[in-house]
Amino acid sequence: MAAAAWLRRAVCRSGCVLLFLSQFYILSGGGSLNLDSQPLAQSIKDPGPTRTFTVVPRAAESTETPPYVMKCPSNGLCSRLPADCAECKTNFSCVYGKPVTFECTVKPSVTCVDEDFKSQKNFLINMTCRFCWQLPEIDYECANSTSCMTVSCSRQRYLTNCTVRDHIHCLGNRTFLKMLYCNWTGGYKWSTALALSITLGGFGADRFYLGQWREGLGKLFSFGGLGIWTLIDVLLIGVGYVGPSDGSLYI
């Protein structure tokens, strides 16, 4: 009986030792569990090369209307479009003053039709072969100068910018410089100045009306230069030699 009891205690102690060793082995990461967990740990610690992605926002589509569209009539005849509404393939080797035909294409956002009221993009235009600065004066507009003397000898000229009218077609730049004679008015009437010179010229009324107050005072206090100055002014105003003090023309 004592031997049997000792044997049971030995077996029990051996089982406890084996159980302890197996648990320790499992907890320490040994065996097959270590083989399975090692790649997992490696995959967690080494995520691999990182990639950086840059998000580029899409450019917003422009909804602004081109400025030239305001000059272009909608659904009008292509052959009557203003020059700013189309692009034409011009040729500077044409013969000056001769009729010439060029092929034109309407600009984006411009709609026009042909004679059959069908939408058209390409069309032909007829014009005279000449540069824009060679056009007659009625075909362009120039900025007027109010700082030059229109009544002078010799007649003064000034340099100004000129722009071709919208429906006129020509070669070269549509804006150009040109020398023009002084031609502007300040609102003075030739008939009024002449009437004042004849009736009240002895008191300098004509000179005062034209803005020449120094000469007016001289005529006033000299009684028209004893009549001689008055007669001379009647002749000078009558022929247009004496004009307004600001240098403008009579109306």
Side-chain angles (χ1 to χ4, degrees):
M1 294 296 293
W6 179 84
L7 182 59
R8 284 196 300 271
R9 287 194 297 268
V11 172
C12 182
R13 290 177 181 176
S14 300
C16 292
V17 172
L18 292 174
L19 179 62
F20 173 76
L21 292 175
S22 63
Q23 291 179 354
F24 178 77
Y25 182 77
I26 293 173
L27 293 176
S28 62
S32 61
L33 181 60
N34 188 23
L35 296 175
D36 296 335
S37 61
Q38 190 173 5
L40 178 61
Q42 183 179 2
S43 62
I44 295 175
K45 293 180 181 179
D46 187 10
T50 58
R51 296 181 181 179
T52 304
F53 297 93
T54 302
V55 179
V56 180
R58 294 181 60 185
E61 296 182 358
S62 177
T63 58
E64 296 182 358
T65 303
Y68 58 80
V69 176
M70 303 300 296
K71 299 181 181 180
C72 308
S74 179
N75 295 325
L77 290 176
C78 295
S79 57
R80 296 184 180 179
L81 282 176
D84 293 337
C85 302
E87 295 180 352
C88 300
K89 299 179 181 178
T90 57
N91 184 6
F92 292 169
S93 62
C94 57
V95 180
Y96 173 76
K98 298 294 183 180
V100 64
T101 301
F102 293 126
E103 182 180 356
C104 301
T105 303
V106 296
K107 292 184 177 180
S109 304
V110 178
T111 57
C112 63
V113 297
D114 57 8
E115 296 180 354
D116 297 329
F117 299 100
K118 296 181 180 179
S119 180
Q120 193 176 24
K121 291 295 183 181
N122 300 319
F123 60 97
L124 298 178
I125 191 168
N126 299 319
M127 56 178 288
T128 303
C129 179
R130 57 188 170 186
F131 288 96
C132 295
W133 58 270
Q134 296 173 323
L135 292 171
E137 294 183 359
I138 60 174
D139 291 338
Y140 56 83
E141 297 177 346
C142 299
N144 292 327
S145 174
T146 58
S147 61
C148 61
M149 300 291 292
T150 57
V151 182
S152 63
C153 186
S154 63
R155 191 177 177 186
Q156 291 185 1
R157 300 201 302 175
Y158 65 97
L159 184 65
T160 185
N161 286 320
C162 299
T163 304
V164 181
R165 299 184 185 274
D166 291 339
H167 293 81
I168 302 299
H169 296 271
C170 56
L171 302 177
N173 295 328
R174 299 184 61 81
T175 301
F176 52 90
L177 295 174
K178 196 161 189 176
M179 292 290 295
L180 298 178
Y181 285 105
C182 295
N183 187 19
W184 65 283
T185 179
Y188 297 95
K189 293 184 178 181
W190 173 81
S191 59
T192 302
L194 183 60
L196 290 174
S197 182
I198 295 173
T199 57
L200 300 174
F203 301 99
D206 51 352
R207 294 284 183 164
F208 284 122
Y209 171 73
L210 296 175
Q212 302 173 6
W213 59 272
R214 294 183 180 87
E215 292 81 355
L217 290 175
K219 292 181 68 174
L220 177 63
F221 290 110
S222 65
F223 300 102
L226 301 177
I228 299 176
W229 195 349
T230 301
L231 293 177
I232 294 175
D233 274 356
V234 170
L235 294 176
L236 294 179
I237 293 176
V239 298
Y241 185 81
V242 174
S245 61
D246 58 2
S248 62
L249 292 175
Y250 290 113
I251 59 175

